[in-house]
Each structure stands twice: as C-alpha cells, then as structure tokens.
Amino acid sequence: MATGSRSEIILEELTAVVLLTLMGAAAIGMARQRNLYGVVLLSGIYSFLMATVMVVLDAVDVAMTEAAVGAGISTVLLFGAIHLTGGTESKPIHRPWLPLLVVVATGAMLVYGTLGLPAFSDPGAPIHQHVAPRYLTEGPVKTGVPNVVTAVLASYRGFDTLGETFVVFTAGIGVIALLGRRRPRRPLDKSREESKE
Amino acid sequence: MMYAVVVGALLVSLCLLLVRALLGPTVFDRALAGNAVGTVAMLLLAIFQFVSGRPEFVDLALVYGLLNIVGTIAVQKFFRYGDLGEPGVADEEHRL
C-alpha cells in the first residue's frame, strides 16, 4: 500500500462527511417535494449514499443489505404503492408548526443525550475495553471470518440474526396471506372494457 | 494520492448528480440521476476496497451494479406499463 494509514483515515473521514451532507440535502429535498415519484427516486439515492457510508465505515455486508433493501426492494414496493394511490402529495391543510416544534425539541434532547457518551471511535470508550478486543483478537480464529462486522453479525450473533430473519419471514407471510389473494384477472378486464363501452 | 484524487472526483460528481436529482424538472432526469448515483456508489465501493488494502471485495461492487439495474428496470417498467406485475410482451399481444 502506497498510502499511509493517516492519510487513509483523513480520506475516509472526509468522504463520510461529504456523504452525510449529501444525505441531509437529499432528505430535505424529499421533505419539500410534492411529486411522489421524485420522492421515491430521491429515497433510492439516499439509500445508495447510506450504503456508501457503510462501505466507508468498513461494514460491507451492512452496506449490501442497505443497497438491496433500501435502494432495490423499497423503490420497487414504493412505486407499486404509488400506482395504487396516485403520484402527487396533497398540500397540508394547516402549517404543521407544533409537530415541527415537538420534533425539533425531541431531536435537541437526543443530541443533548449523546453529549454524555464517549466520542465516536474513542479507543478509551467502555465498549472498546470490554468485548471489542475479544472480537478483534479471537474473532478470526474462532469463527474463521476475516471481516469483524461479518463475524459478529453472522457468527457471534448468529441466533439473533436467525430470529430477525424469522420475524421478517413471518411478516412477509402475513402480508401475502392478507393481500396475496388475486381476484381473477380476465373478468375484471372484461368488466372494465364493458364499462368503457 | 491517486486514490484520493479519484475519490474526490467521484464525490464532486455525486454532488452534481444530487443537484440534478433535486432540481430535475422531469421524473426521468431524477431516474437517470438515481441510476448514476448507484453507479458512482459502485465505483466508490471498488475504490475504497483498494484504499483499505483488501481488493477482494470488488465482487460486491458487481452485486451493486446488478441491484442498480433491477431498480432502474423497475422504474422504466413502471412508466411503460403503469404496473410492475405486468407480464410484458405477451400481454402486449393480448391487448392488440
């Protein structure tokens, strides 16, 4: 490797900051737009940016999930939903100042709450003293997975991930059971044509 | 150094793409910007694997590309047929 580790860190931090700023811009754009097609496409862009942030943070498989779910499936599902509901958001009847105030106050409290936490990637933080060294030193040996994030997700928390998958699977089955009964297609089309005539 | 220049160029193009996606007068401008953001994200993924010295993850960039294609095809199909469950060519004949 030609690049030193310090310049590498600077590059990664700079990229993360730029990407997060772009994500903020995309989110504001989403909130301000009334054309829902544009909103869905912007949310896909947002997911791709998020996935890239995950890559920069070296969590490759989380990035994979984000790209597959956020940018892939969600976009398709949201377009399907727009097809059923119509593509323009109606203007709000009243100006939502009170909800905005509540949200800003809650956000400010949450940010205030994080002030007491140790700084991001502070090596002296309790979480890095307690289990992280064990994952880092023993993880590759015990699990045989070279990436630490993947080792924790797929091996140390394997049952946890299995449970999550099970929940998502059950939810999917529930949705299919509720919505998946197709009405017969031909009679519907015929009735539509008849109504046109 | 080389990687830094490439990453910088990609970030600048990301900014321009986001501007297009936010301003874009038609939905197709936005769809194209979204597709291009996916491509740039793929390139960034590939570059960052080289920055962190583990280029074996470049496969993931290929999977990104595939996802990007699926998303864009979904958008196109939606605008063509107004429905994602449309079977396509066979149905075209049925309509005719």
Side-chain angles (χ1 to χ4, degrees):
Chain A
M1 278 303 294
T3 48
S5 102
R6 184 167 173 74
S7 62
E8 186 184 310
I9 289 171
I10 291 173
L11 185 64
E12 286 183 359
E13 292 212 338
L14 192 74
T15 315
V17 167
V18 172
L19 286 171
L20 289 170
T21 315
L22 290 178
M23 281 170 67
I28 292 172
M30 267 190 270
R32 291 189 62 85
Q33 268 195 34
R34 295 271 158 234
N35 183 355
L36 289 179
Y37 301 107
V39 171
V40 171
L41 289 170
L42 272 175
S43 84
I45 291 175
Y46 183 90
S47 289
F48 263 123
L49 294 174
M50 187 72 234
T52 316
V53 171
M54 294 297 182
V55 168
V56 173
L57 294 178
D58 224 0
V60 190
D61 48 0
V62 186
M64 234 17 264
T65 316
E66 175 66 36
V69 175
I73 300 294
S74 293
T75 311
V76 175
L77 289 181
L78 285 172
F79 269 118
I82 286 180
H83 174 60
L84 295 176
T85 57
T88 323
E89 188 181 352
S90 53
K91 291 215 166 188
I93 302 165
H94 58 280
R95 298 213 158 247
W97 289 117
L98 183 67
L100 184 68
L101 193 72
V102 171
V103 167
V104 168
T106 315
M109 276 201 295
L110 287 174
V111 170
Y112 176 72
T114 61
L115 291 181
L117 295 174
F120 177 66
S121 73
D122 175 15
I127 189 167
H128 296 311
Q129 308 284 331
H130 182 49
V131 284
R134 214 181 116 203
Y135 285 148
L136 288 176
T137 52
E138 295 181 16
V141 183
K142 280 197 172 176
T143 64
V145 182
N147 187 316
V148 181
V149 179
T150 314
V152 171
L153 260 181
S155 185
Y156 281 104
R157 293 185 192 160
F159 282 111
D160 191 18
T161 309
L162 180 68
E164 279 173 24
T165 318
F166 189 73
V167 168
V168 173
F169 184 62
T170 316
I173 287 179
V175 170
I176 289 172
L178 282 174
L179 303 178
R181 288 189 192 173
R182 291 203 152 209
R183 275 170 290 179
R185 195 147 187 141
R186 285 287 157 78
L188 192 75
D189 286 349
K190 269 182 193 168
S191 67
R192 266 188 200 162
E193 282 163 18
E194 277 166 14
S195 67
K196 269 181 198 169
E197 287 163 12
Chain B
M1 185 61 207
M2 189 178 72
Y3 295 134
V5 172
V6 174
V7 169
L10 287 175
L11 288 179
V12 169
S13 66
L14 259 187
C15 294
L16 294 174
L17 286 169
L18 193 70
V19 167
R20 176 46 65 209
L22 289 173
L23 294 181
T26 68
V27 178
F28 298 104
D29 290 319
R30 298 200 166 100
L32 199 56
N35 189 12
V37 164
T39 309
V40 173
M42 186 175 95
L43 292 172
L44 268 177
L45 194 153
I47 283 295
F48 261 97
Q49 303 313 322
F50 283 101
V51 168
S52 56
R54 285 178 300 164
E56 61 265 27
F57 285 131
V58 170
D59 305 0
L60 285 175
L62 294 178
V63 183
Y64 258 51
L66 291 176
L67 285 173
N68 204 5
I69 286 173
V70 169
T72 310
I73 285 179
V75 172
Q76 303 301 334
K77 192 172 181 186
F78 181 82
F79 282 112
R80 176 74 176 78
Y81 297 109
D83 188 0
L84 294 174
E86 205 78 15
V89 181
D91 192 69
E92 198 83 337
E93 287 168 3
H94 169 70
R95 257 186 217 164
L96 291 171

